[in-house]
Amino acid sequence: MGTPTPRTVVASPSSTAAGSPTPMELLRSRGYIALLILGAAVGVPVAIVAYFYLEAVSKAQRFFLTDLPHDLGFAGTPVWWPIPMVAVGGLLVGLSLRYLPGTGGHNPAEGFVAGPTVSARDMPGVAAASLATLAFGAVLGPEAPLVLIGSGLAVLIARLVKRDAPAKALVIVGAAGSFAAISTLLISPLAGAFLLLEAVGVGGSMVSVVLAPGLLAAGIGALIFVGLNHITGFGTFSLAVPNIPVLGTPTVGEFGWAIAIGLAAGVLGTAIRRLAFQIQPYVSRRTLLATPVAGLVVGGLAALFAAVTDKGPEQVLFSGQTALPPLIQQAGAWSVGELLLLVACKSLAYSVSLSSFRGGPTFPGMFIGAAGGLALSHLAGLPLTAGVGMGVGAMTVVMLGGLPLTAVLLTLLFLQAEAVNLISVVIVAVVVAWVTAARLSPWSRPRPPAATHGGRAADPSTADRHNP
């Protein structure tokens, strides 16, 4: 049997087997205290690894897009430069999927899914595929790889400390590692708790008991993250967008816009995922050929956008996490046409990346939502900050696969200066988008492939091992 997931281990009171300890009994046990200590301990190495992982991604992106063209004698980054760069990234992803153990991490087109803890054997594949994805410009984020690396590292440490650790304890320690890793990115242990709580689907009276080691690991990890900034001088990672336009009390018109934006995000996000699922079978059958081709498409879209506008290709490339604050702060420098072209190019590049690369689905969706909200804010009755907030929240819930609490919280973390005035309209947009996407879900992905290999459907993530 494979490693059990938190969803199968953590049961509600109605489904707990007879003789299992109650939450209070578990909380009072000596073993649980040891589990809390271990959770705090794993937060330190996980935060260190996450910190330098994110720093490596940041430096690699800057090197391949900006420094390397300059070193080769170009005055600036040529318009066509992203095309070979993302193709090289696609080739490296294809090689890692073909020759390294595992599947390189979760399928990002599925949204944010917290599955089984990755084994130590599979961690190099996750790291290699995600770094090739993120460094060369594919339109995905670092959150999903961080969760897998954090959980895998935490379980590895737990097994080194106690070789005969029970499976349930390893699941909780793995979750603690995921908390610590994702909290370094989101700069908030509570945001990490919301994300993983909704993704895993933990419920019942065991919630607090299971989350406590993870929250402790996340809190310790956050301290380590701040300390590493002072030691290394690399800088901090912050989600909050400073200097955003002030927003007044929500109006009736803004609630109407929240409904409209929620509907639009539900349709657009579903279309992005639908296209990704349509492309995936072709990529999985010929990974070594198809992933570089997918990279050419992503790079071509970035080059097209840079050629048509006076903006750089980085607006289309990468996850959009670092490009989002300047997009909002410099909104006056963007025309409606440029914003609409950005949404179109980024959405297509995002869809191709979801189908072929390895990374997280969160930040590109947030960026597309923000760009769409900015474009709509040129219309009457929609303030800029409100449009951005509604767009970010609505697209986030769709691309995460339906995590409404997390979508609202992430939006408010980004726009925290106006969180109080935004919360009501963001909630409306998120709920409308969530329901719309759920209604469209039968259309969002094609029928499963015909049964093969003895009557069982072929696994797209492993098909390339038989068809290099």
Side-chain angles (χ1 to χ4, degrees), residues 369-432:
L374 284 177
L376 291 174
S377 69
H378 287 263
L379 300 175
L382 181 61
L384 185 149
T385 302
V388 169
M390 296 175 202
V392 168
M395 281 298 296
T396 300
V397 74
V398 178
M399 301 315 300
L400 287 180
L403 306 179
L405 296 178
T406 300
V408 172
L409 182 59
L410 285 177
T411 303
L412 298 183
L413 282 175
F414 258 96
L415 305 171
Q416 57 189 254
E418 294 296 322
V420 173
N421 291 324
L422 275 172
I423 187 168
S424 56
V425 291
V426 168
I427 288 174
V428 172
V430 165
V431 172
V432 171

Coordinates of all heavy atoms in Angstrom, one line a residue, residues 369-432:
G369 N -6.2 37.5 -12.8 CA -7.4 38.2 -12.2 C -7.1 39.6 -11.9 O -8.0 40.5 -12.2
A370 N -5.9 40.0 -11.5 CA -5.6 41.4 -11.2 C -5.6 42.2 -12.5 O -6.1 43.3 -12.6 CB -4.2 41.5 -10.6
A371 N -5.0 41.6 -13.6 CA -5.0 42.3 -14.9 C -6.4 42.5 -15.4 O -6.7 43.6 -16.0 CB -4.1 41.5 -15.9
G372 N -7.2 41.5 -15.3 CA -8.6 41.6 -15.8 C -9.4 42.7 -15.0 O -10.1 43.5 -15.5
G373 N -9.1 42.7 -13.6 CA -9.8 43.7 -12.8 C -9.3 45.1 -13.2 O -10.2 46.1 -13.1
L374 N -8.1 45.3 -13.5 CA -7.6 46.6 -13.9 C -8.2 47.0 -15.2 O -8.6 48.2 -15.3 CB -6.0 46.5 -14.1 CG -5.2 46.5 -12.8 CD1 -3.7 46.4 -13.2 CD2 -5.4 47.8 -12.0
A375 N -8.4 46.1 -16.1 CA -9.0 46.5 -17.4 C -10.4 46.9 -17.2 O -10.9 47.9 -17.7 CB -8.9 45.3 -18.4
L376 N -11.2 46.2 -16.3 CA -12.6 46.5 -16.1 C -12.7 47.8 -15.3 O -13.8 48.4 -15.3 CB -13.2 45.3 -15.3 CG -13.4 44.0 -16.2 CD1 -14.0 42.9 -15.3 CD2 -14.4 44.3 -17.3
S377 N -11.7 48.1 -14.5 CA -11.8 49.3 -13.7 C -11.9 50.6 -14.5 O -12.1 51.7 -14.0 CB -10.6 49.4 -12.7 OG -9.4 49.7 -13.4
H378 N -11.6 50.5 -15.8 CA -11.8 51.7 -16.7 C -13.2 52.0 -17.0 O -13.6 53.0 -17.5 CB -11.0 51.4 -18.0 CG -9.5 51.5 -17.9 ND1 -8.8 52.6 -18.2 CD2 -8.6 50.6 -17.5 CE1 -7.5 52.4 -18.0 NE2 -7.4 51.2 -17.6
L379 N -14.1 51.0 -16.6 CA -15.5 51.2 -16.8 C -16.1 51.9 -15.6 O -15.5 51.9 -14.5 CB -16.2 49.9 -17.0 CG -15.8 49.1 -18.3 CD1 -16.4 47.7 -18.4 CD2 -16.0 49.9 -19.6
A380 N -17.3 52.4 -15.7 CA -18.0 53.2 -14.6 C -18.3 52.3 -13.4 O -18.7 51.1 -13.6 CB -19.2 53.9 -15.1
G381 N -18.2 52.8 -12.2 CA -18.6 52.2 -11.0 C -17.7 51.1 -10.4 O -18.1 50.5 -9.5
L382 N -16.5 51.0 -11.0 CA -15.6 50.0 -10.4 C -14.2 50.6 -10.1 O -13.4 50.8 -11.0 CB -15.4 48.8 -11.4 CG -14.5 47.7 -11.0 CD1 -15.0 47.0 -9.7 CD2 -14.3 46.7 -12.1
P383 N -14.0 50.9 -8.8 CA -12.7 51.5 -8.4 C -11.6 50.5 -8.7 O -11.8 49.2 -8.7 CB -12.8 51.7 -6.9 CG -14.3 51.7 -6.7 CD -14.9 50.8 -7.7
L384 N -10.4 51.0 -9.0 CA -9.2 50.1 -9.3 C -8.9 49.1 -8.3 O -8.8 47.9 -8.6 CB -8.0 51.0 -9.5 CG -6.7 50.4 -10.1 CD1 -5.9 51.3 -10.9 CD2 -5.9 49.8 -8.9
T385 N -8.8 49.4 -7.0 CA -8.5 48.5 -6.0 C -9.6 47.4 -5.9 O -9.3 46.2 -5.7 CB -8.3 49.2 -4.7 OG1 -7.2 50.2 -4.8 CG2 -7.9 48.2 -3.6
A386 N -10.8 47.8 -6.0 CA -11.9 46.8 -5.9 C -11.9 45.9 -7.0 O -12.1 44.7 -6.9 CB -13.3 47.6 -5.8
G387 N -11.6 46.4 -8.2 CA -11.5 45.5 -9.4 C -10.4 44.5 -9.3 O -10.6 43.3 -9.6
V388 N -9.3 45.0 -8.8 CA -8.1 44.1 -8.6 C -8.5 43.0 -7.6 O -8.2 41.8 -7.8 CB -6.9 44.9 -8.2 CG1 -5.8 43.9 -7.7 CG2 -6.4 45.7 -9.4
G389 N -9.0 43.4 -6.4 CA -9.3 42.5 -5.4 C -10.3 41.4 -5.8 O -10.2 40.2 -5.6
M390 N -11.4 41.8 -6.5 CA -12.4 40.9 -7.0 C -11.8 39.9 -8.0 O -12.0 38.7 -8.0 CB -13.6 41.6 -7.6 CG -14.4 42.5 -6.7 SD -15.6 43.4 -7.6 CE -16.0 44.8 -6.6
G391 N -11.0 40.5 -8.9 CA -10.4 39.6 -9.9 C -9.4 38.6 -9.4 O -9.4 37.4 -9.7
V392 N -8.6 39.1 -8.4 CA -7.6 38.2 -7.8 C -8.4 37.0 -7.0 O -8.1 35.8 -7.2 CB -6.7 38.9 -6.8 CG1 -5.9 38.0 -6.0 CG2 -5.8 39.8 -7.6
G393 N -9.3 37.4 -6.2 CA -10.0 36.4 -5.4 C -10.8 35.4 -6.3 O -10.7 34.2 -6.1
A394 N -11.5 35.9 -7.3 CA -12.3 35.0 -8.2 C -11.5 34.1 -9.0 O -11.8 32.9 -9.1 CB -13.2 35.9 -9.1
M395 N -10.4 34.5 -9.6 CA -9.5 33.7 -10.4 C -8.8 32.7 -9.5 O -8.6 31.5 -9.9 CB -8.5 34.5 -11.2 CG -9.1 35.1 -12.4 SD -9.7 33.9 -13.6 CE -8.2 33.0 -14.1
T396 N -8.4 33.1 -8.3 CA -7.7 32.2 -7.4 C -8.6 31.0 -7.0 O -8.1 29.8 -7.0 CB -7.3 32.9 -6.1 OG1 -6.4 34.0 -6.5 CG2 -6.5 32.0 -5.1
V397 N -9.8 31.2 -6.6 CA -10.7 30.1 -6.2 C -10.9 29.1 -7.4 O -11.0 27.9 -7.1 CB -12.0 30.6 -5.6 CG1 -13.0 31.1 -6.7 CG2 -12.7 29.5 -4.8
V398 N -11.0 29.6 -8.6 CA -11.2 28.7 -9.7 C -9.9 27.9 -10.0 O -10.0 26.7 -10.2 CB -11.6 29.5 -11.0 CG1 -11.7 28.5 -12.2 CG2 -12.9 30.2 -10.7
M399 N -8.8 28.5 -10.0 CA -7.5 27.8 -10.4 C -7.0 27.0 -9.3 O -6.3 26.0 -9.5 CB -6.4 28.9 -10.8 CG -6.8 29.7 -12.0 SD -7.6 28.8 -13.4 CE -6.3 27.7 -13.8
L400 N -7.4 27.2 -8.0 CA -7.0 26.3 -6.9 C -7.9 25.1 -6.9 O -7.7 24.1 -6.1 CB -7.1 27.0 -5.6 CG -6.0 28.0 -5.3 CD1 -6.2 28.6 -3.9 CD2 -4.6 27.4 -5.3
G401 N -9.0 25.1 -7.7 CA -9.8 23.9 -7.7 C -10.9 24.0 -6.7 O -11.5 23.0 -6.3
G402 N -11.2 25.2 -6.1 CA -12.3 25.4 -5.2 C -11.9 25.4 -3.8 O -12.2 24.5 -3.0
L403 N -11.1 26.4 -3.4 CA -10.7 26.6 -2.0 C -11.1 28.1 -1.6 O -10.3 29.0 -1.6 CB -9.2 26.4 -1.8 CG -8.6 25.1 -2.2 CD1 -7.1 25.1 -2.0 CD2 -9.3 23.9 -1.6
P404 N -12.4 28.3 -1.3 CA -12.9 29.7 -1.2 C -12.2 30.5 0.0 O -12.0 31.7 -0.1 CB -14.4 29.5 -1.0 CG -14.6 28.1 -0.5 CD -13.5 27.3 -1.2
L405 N -12.1 29.8 1.2 CA -11.5 30.5 2.3 C -10.1 31.0 2.0 O -9.7 32.1 2.3 CB -11.5 29.6 3.5 CG -12.9 29.2 4.1 CD1 -12.8 28.3 5.3 CD2 -13.7 30.4 4.4
T406 N -9.3 30.1 1.4 CA -7.9 30.4 1.0 C -7.9 31.5 0.0 O -7.1 32.5 0.1 CB -7.2 29.2 0.5 OG1 -7.2 28.2 1.5 CG2 -5.8 29.5 0.1
A407 N -8.8 31.5 -1.0 CA -8.9 32.5 -2.0 C -9.1 33.9 -1.4 O -8.5 34.9 -1.8 CB -9.9 32.2 -3.0
V408 N -10.0 34.0 -0.5 CA -10.3 35.3 0.2 C -9.1 35.7 1.0 O -8.7 36.9 0.9 CB -11.6 35.1 1.1 CG1 -11.8 36.4 1.9 CG2 -12.8 34.9 0.2
L409 N -8.6 34.8 1.8 CA -7.4 35.2 2.7 C -6.2 35.7 1.9 O -5.6 36.7 2.2 CB -7.1 34.0 3.6 CG -5.9 34.3 4.6 CD1 -6.3 35.4 5.5 CD2 -5.6 33.0 5.4
L410 N -5.9 35.0 0.8 CA -4.7 35.4 0.0 C -5.0 36.7 -0.7 O -4.1 37.6 -0.7 CB -4.5 34.3 -1.1 CG -3.8 33.0 -0.7 CD1 -3.7 32.1 -1.9 CD2 -2.5 33.3 -0.1
T411 N -6.2 37.0 -1.1 CA -6.5 38.3 -1.7 C -6.3 39.4 -0.7 O -5.7 40.5 -1.0 CB -7.9 38.3 -2.2 OG1 -8.1 37.3 -3.2 CG2 -8.3 39.6 -2.9
L412 N -6.8 39.2 0.5 CA -6.7 40.2 1.6 C -5.2 40.4 2.0 O -4.9 41.5 2.4 CB -7.6 39.8 2.7 CG -9.1 39.8 2.4 CD1 -9.9 39.5 3.7 CD2 -9.6 41.1 1.7
L413 N -4.4 39.3 2.0 CA -3.0 39.5 2.3 C -2.3 40.3 1.2 O -1.5 41.2 1.6 CB -2.3 38.1 2.3 CG -2.6 37.3 3.6 CD1 -2.0 35.9 3.5 CD2 -2.0 38.0 4.8
F414 N -2.7 40.2 0.0 CA -2.1 41.0 -1.1 C -2.5 42.4 -1.0 O -1.7 43.3 -1.1 CB -2.5 40.4 -2.5 CG -1.4 39.6 -3.1 CD1 -1.5 38.2 -3.1 CD2 -0.4 40.2 -3.9 CE1 -0.5 37.5 -3.7 CE2 0.5 39.5 -4.5 CZ 0.5 38.1 -4.4
L415 N -3.7 42.7 -0.6 CA -4.2 44.0 -0.6 C -4.6 44.4 0.8 O -5.7 45.0 1.0 CB -5.5 44.1 -1.5 CG -5.2 43.7 -3.0 CD1 -6.5 43.6 -3.8 CD2 -4.2 44.6 -3.7
Q416 N -3.8 44.1 1.8 CA -4.1 44.2 3.2 C -4.4 45.6 3.6 O -5.1 45.9 4.6 CB -3.1 43.5 4.0 CG -1.7 44.1 3.9 CD -0.7 43.2 4.6 OE1 -0.2 43.6 5.7 NE2 -0.4 42.0 4.1
A417 N -3.8 46.6 2.9 CA -4.0 48.0 3.3 C -5.5 48.4 3.2 O -6.0 49.3 3.9 CB -3.2 48.9 2.4
E418 N -6.2 47.7 2.3 CA -7.6 48.0 2.1 C -8.5 46.8 2.4 O -9.6 46.7 1.9 CB -7.9 48.5 0.7 CG -7.3 49.8 0.4 CD -7.9 51.0 1.2 OE1 -9.1 51.0 1.5 OE2 -7.1 51.9 1.6
A419 N -8.0 45.9 3.2 CA -8.7 44.6 3.5 C -10.1 44.8 4.0 O -11.0 44.1 3.7 CB -7.8 43.7 4.4
V420 N -10.2 45.7 5.0 CA -11.5 45.9 5.6 C -12.6 46.3 4.6 O -13.7 45.8 4.6 CB -11.4 47.0 6.7 CG1 -12.8 47.3 7.3 CG2 -10.5 46.5 7.8
N421 N -12.3 47.2 3.7 CA -13.2 47.7 2.7 C -13.4 46.7 1.6 O -14.4 46.7 0.9 CB -12.8 49.0 2.1 CG -12.8 50.2 3.1 OD1 -13.7 50.2 3.9 ND2 -11.9 51.1 3.1
L422 N -12.5 45.8 1.4 CA -12.6 44.8 0.3 C -13.3 43.6 0.6 O -13.8 42.9 -0.2 CB -11.1 44.5 -0.2 CG -10.5 45.4 -1.2 CD1 -9.0 45.0 -1.4 CD2 -11.2 45.4 -2.5
I423 N -13.3 43.2 1.9 CA -13.6 41.8 2.3 C -15.0 41.4 1.8 O -15.2 40.3 1.3 CB -13.5 41.6 3.8 CG1 -13.7 40.1 4.1 CG2 -14.5 42.5 4.6 CD1 -13.3 39.8 5.5
S424 N -16.0 42.3 1.8 CA -17.4 41.9 1.5 C -17.5 41.6 0.0 O -18.1 40.6 -0.5 CB -18.4 43.0 1.9 OG -18.0 44.2 1.4
V425 N -17.0 42.5 -0.9 CA -17.1 42.3 -2.3 C -16.2 41.2 -2.8 O -16.5 40.5 -3.8 CB -16.8 43.6 -3.1 CG1 -17.8 44.7 -2.8 CG2 -15.4 44.2 -2.7
V426 N -15.0 41.0 -2.2 CA -14.2 39.9 -2.5 C -14.9 38.5 -2.2 O -14.8 37.6 -3.0 CB -12.8 39.9 -1.8 CG1 -12.1 38.6 -1.9 CG2 -12.0 41.1 -2.3
I427 N -15.6 38.5 -1.1 CA -16.3 37.2 -0.7 C -17.4 36.9 -1.8 O -17.5 35.8 -2.2 CB -16.9 37.4 0.7 CG1 -15.8 37.3 1.7 CG2 -17.9 36.3 0.9 CD1 -16.3 37.5 3.1
V428 N -18.1 38.0 -2.2 CA -19.1 37.8 -3.2 C -18.5 37.3 -4.5 O -19.0 36.3 -5.1 CB -19.9 39.1 -3.4 CG1 -20.9 38.9 -4.6 CG2 -20.7 39.5 -2.2
A429 N -17.5 37.9 -5.0 CA -16.8 37.5 -6.2 C -16.3 36.1 -6.1 O -16.4 35.3 -7.1 CB -15.7 38.5 -6.6
V430 N -15.7 35.7 -5.0 CA -15.1 34.4 -4.8 C -16.2 33.3 -4.8 O -16.1 32.3 -5.5 CB -14.3 34.3 -3.5 CG1 -14.1 32.9 -3.1 CG2 -13.0 35.1 -3.6
V431 N -17.3 33.6 -4.1 CA -18.4 32.6 -4.0 C -19.1 32.4 -5.4 O -19.3 31.3 -5.8 CB -19.4 33.0 -3.0 CG1 -20.7 32.1 -3.0 CG2 -18.8 32.9 -1.6
V432 N -19.3 33.5 -6.1 CA -19.9 33.4 -7.4 C -19.0 32.6 -8.4 O -19.5 31.8 -9.2 CB -20.2 34.8 -8.0 CG1 -20.7 34.7 -9.5 CG2 -21.3 35.5 -7.2

